[in-house]
Amino acid sequence: MSRRGRQAEAARNDLKLLRAAHEVFTTQGFDAPVSAIAKQAGLGMGSLYRRYRTKEELLQRLCIIAMERVVDAATAGLAEDDPWQGFAGYVRACVGFGSGALAPVAGTIAVTDEMARTARQATELAGRLVARAQEAGVLRPDVTELDVSLLIEQFSRPAPGPRDERHDEIKQRLLAVALDGLRAPGTTPLPGGPPSLEWYEGRWETG
């Protein structure tokens, strides 16, 4: 096999592993053995360990991918002319690919420089989306980008039992209710103060 062919095969195997890892971790839990990931991907353990030496490295890579997709969703939202449609589209996109599904690993894995850098970019873009919608008077003024991120985390949790179309329909129904609750002016005062960036990022600190 040529060098280019080997590189293409390696890229395909890496994609299989990452998809399998996301599926296994979000359905079986983060304590699932990596052997379950290799089996799901249809690859041997050697293929997995050649790419990811530890489960932590695999989880770190998945976190980076999730945050990169958040960056893409926020960028697309800012490209929308309508501030509300841009904001709502961002939320729906993040819920759609489960951007917060990996939040439960916070505090259990080390945060790499790439993770921190991508997270800051995602937070900055989300803040711009929120600010633009609030300046347009379409998003309630007492909501912060961290409120929105935490809301997305809640919708990213997998439903109990095997996945089916009904679960997806109900999630979209509840998401529509939540988005209406975010519209300005908002009728119920939000209890407590907004989450701080220090608290939000502090969840990822390892003991």
Side-chain angles (χ1 to χ4, degrees), residues 113-179:
D113 290 342
E114 187 177 6
M115 287 172 64
R117 184 170 59 253
T118 312
R120 286 193 296 269
Q121 184 182 12
T123 300
E124 189 271 333
L125 289 170
R128 287 171 56 189
L129 265 175
V130 167
R132 186 177 74 145
Q134 288 173 332
E135 289 169 4
V138 294
L139 177 66
R140 54 187 300 166
D142 52 355
V143 166
T144 70
E145 66 269 21
L146 296 184
D147 287 316
V148 176
S149 294
L150 290 165
L151 179 67
I152 290 170
E153 278 187 21
Q154 295 301 311
F155 276 97
S156 297
R157 298 178 186 276
R163 182 173 178 177
D164 60 28
E165 291 184 5
R166 187 56 178 155
H167 282 155
D168 293 337
E169 290 174 357
I170 292 173
K171 178 182 288 189
Q172 291 304 314
R173 176 183 174 88
L174 295 178
L175 181 56
V177 173
L179 284 170

Side-chain angles (χ1 to χ4, degrees), residues 21-113:
H22 191 275
E23 176 70 18
V24 168
F25 285 141
T26 55
T27 58
Q28 299 182 29
F30 297 100
D31 291 330
V34 291
S35 58
I37 295 169
K39 182 179 180 181
Q40 176 82 7
L43 298 170
M45 291 294 292
S47 295
L48 190 153
Y49 284 125
R50 276 194 297 272
R51 183 66 182 87
Y52 304 99
R53 295 171 298 175
T54 65
K55 181 188 286 189
E56 182 177 51
E57 283 189 6
L58 182 54
L59 284 166
Q60 288 167 334
R61 181 61 186 149
L62 288 173
C63 287
I64 291 168
I65 291 171
M67 288 184 287
E68 287 175 340
R69 296 184 74 179
V70 171
V71 168
D72 290 342
T75 301
L78 288 168
E80 285 282 345
D81 292 333
D82 184 287
W84 175 258
Q85 293 303 321
F87 170 77
Y90 161 77
V91 173
R92 291 193 184 98
C94 290
V95 169
F97 61 76
S99 69
L102 298 172
V105 303
T108 68
I109 62 174
V111 176
T112 66
D113 290 342

